Amino acid sequence: VGTVDSYVVDEKTMNITLQTPTFHEGDLEQPINHDIRMFRKSLDIIETYHDPFLPNDIEVPSHVQVWHGYPERLGYPEKPYENNRFTDEEDMTPYDDYSPHKARTIAVQMARATNAEWLKEEVSMEFHRQERQPYEDIGTLVGTLRKGNVDPDLKEKIEPALKILGSSVDLLSIEGERQAIFRFEYHGLIKNKFGMSCWTQTLIRDCGVECDNVIFETGFRKRDPLYDGGFPWYGMC
């Protein structure tokens, strides 16, 4: 319990125009009331009571000022814009020596140079190509959207499962020595990818076909841009 006043009534920050006057202008009781208030504050004695719904050691003030909130922040404390731990002082860009237009232009150029979403499409494709190169050297289809061998008899057996899945998937290939690994191109939401693959595995087994694994291929699509605010472009492998 303390004697901190709201900034509206505190003498250091008070604004008379924001308060409802207690006395009319020129009232004789106004100076007397002010003296009494100052005297009570100097005693620093606060009348309290015990709330039956609170612990006994908590004192609740009997008279509480109306809290008008914190004062409006008119600005932020000034800090050096070069205050970071990553740039040496001799390598800092001298923005103070530039005009506002030139300073903004250079700042945008530097931001785009280190942000992947500002890079050209060819740069992204080259990155994906380098990431994919080890798989290309081995010659595997896993991780691509390329079609492989599909046994017509197996495809006919799992036709009920394909009808249930509809346009959400396209059968790419059936892999493995036992022909029990099914690759699909998945068109649904990324957040449902794992659950859909598990459900597809169950549907295939319900058709009386052995299924060791179901692989859903999405190419370079890693997220749902229309739902999570991501970058809408993605390449095709």
Side-chain angles (χ1 to χ4, degrees):
V1 177
T3 58
V4 180
D5 289 329
S6 171
Y7 77 98
V8 177
V9 296
D10 193 341
E11 289 188 349
K12 298 179 181 178
T13 58
M14 67 183 300
N15 188 348
I16 300 299
T17 60
L18 299 178
Q19 301 181 28
T20 302
T22 308
F23 300 94
H24 295 290
E25 187 176 356
D27 196 314
L28 297 178
E29 294 187 6
Q30 189 170 0
I32 301 176
N33 180 71
H34 177 74
D35 294 340
I36 294 176
R37 287 175 55 196
M38 293 298 102
F39 175 71
R40 289 178 60 88
K41 285 186 177 181
S42 66
L43 297 178
D44 201 18
I45 298 177
I46 299 177
E47 298 180 6
T48 60
Y49 68 95
H50 292 282
D51 193 324
F53 297 98
L54 297 176
N56 294 329
D57 57 343
I58 296 181
E59 297 182 355
V60 182
S62 301
H63 307 285
V64 182
Q65 288 276 6
V66 178
W67 181 249
H68 300 275
Y70 294 100
E72 180 182 359
R73 173 176 284 182
L74 301 178
Y76 293 93
E78 294 186 1
K79 293 183 179 179
Y81 57 82
E82 70 275 5
N83 182 20
N84 64 71
R85 298 171 294 171
F86 310 104
T87 305
D88 296 332
E89 187 173 355
E90 60 272 11
D91 297 332
M92 291 182 180
T93 305
Y95 288 105
D96 293 334
D97 300 337
Y98 300 152
S99 65
H101 174 73
K102 183 177 180 180
R104 182 184 182 281
T105 302
I106 294 181
V108 171
Q109 291 176 354
M110 295 179 64
R112 293 182 178 182
T114 57
N115 189 329
E117 294 193 358
W118 287 103
L119 297 179
K120 296 182 180 179
E121 183 174 313
E122 294 79 8
V123 178
S124 298
M125 289 301 299
E126 178 62 22
F127 170 78
H128 291 309
R129 189 194 65 78
Q130 294 177 1
E131 291 287 308
R132 179 66 200 169
Q133 191 58 41
Y135 302 94
E136 296 290 344
D137 296 340
I138 298 176
T140 178
L141 293 177
V142 177
T144 71
L145 299 178
R146 300 171 186 168
K147 293 186 177 182
N149 297 325
V150 177
D151 189 343
D153 296 335
L154 280 178
K155 183 177 180 181
E156 184 177 357
K157 290 182 180 179
I158 65 172
E159 194 64 33
L162 296 178
K163 287 184 177 181
I164 294 176
L165 295 172
S167 60
S168 61
V169 298
D170 290 322
L171 182 61
L172 294 178
S173 65
I174 303 176
E175 306 290 339
E177 296 180 357
R178 301 173 55 242
Q179 293 288 288
I181 300 176
F182 295 81
R183 290 178 59 245
F184 293 90
E185 181 179 357
Y186 176 64
H187 304 290
L189 296 177
I190 295 297
K191 66 178 183 178
N192 300 331
K193 178 181 174 182
F194 179 74
M196 286 287 291
S197 64
C198 295
W199 183 47
T200 302
Q201 188 171 359
T202 302
L203 292 177
I204 294 176
R205 289 174 178 172
D206 291 342
C207 295
V209 178
E210 293 186 6
C211 180
D212 294 338
N213 192 14
V214 170
I215 301 175
F216 274 4
E217 305 284 10
T218 57
F220 296 146
R221 183 166 65 97
K222 304 298 183 183
R223 52 185 181 177
D224 304 313
L226 297 180
Y227 290 87
D228 59 10
F231 190 47
W233 183 87
Y234 56 89
M236 303 294 290
C237 62

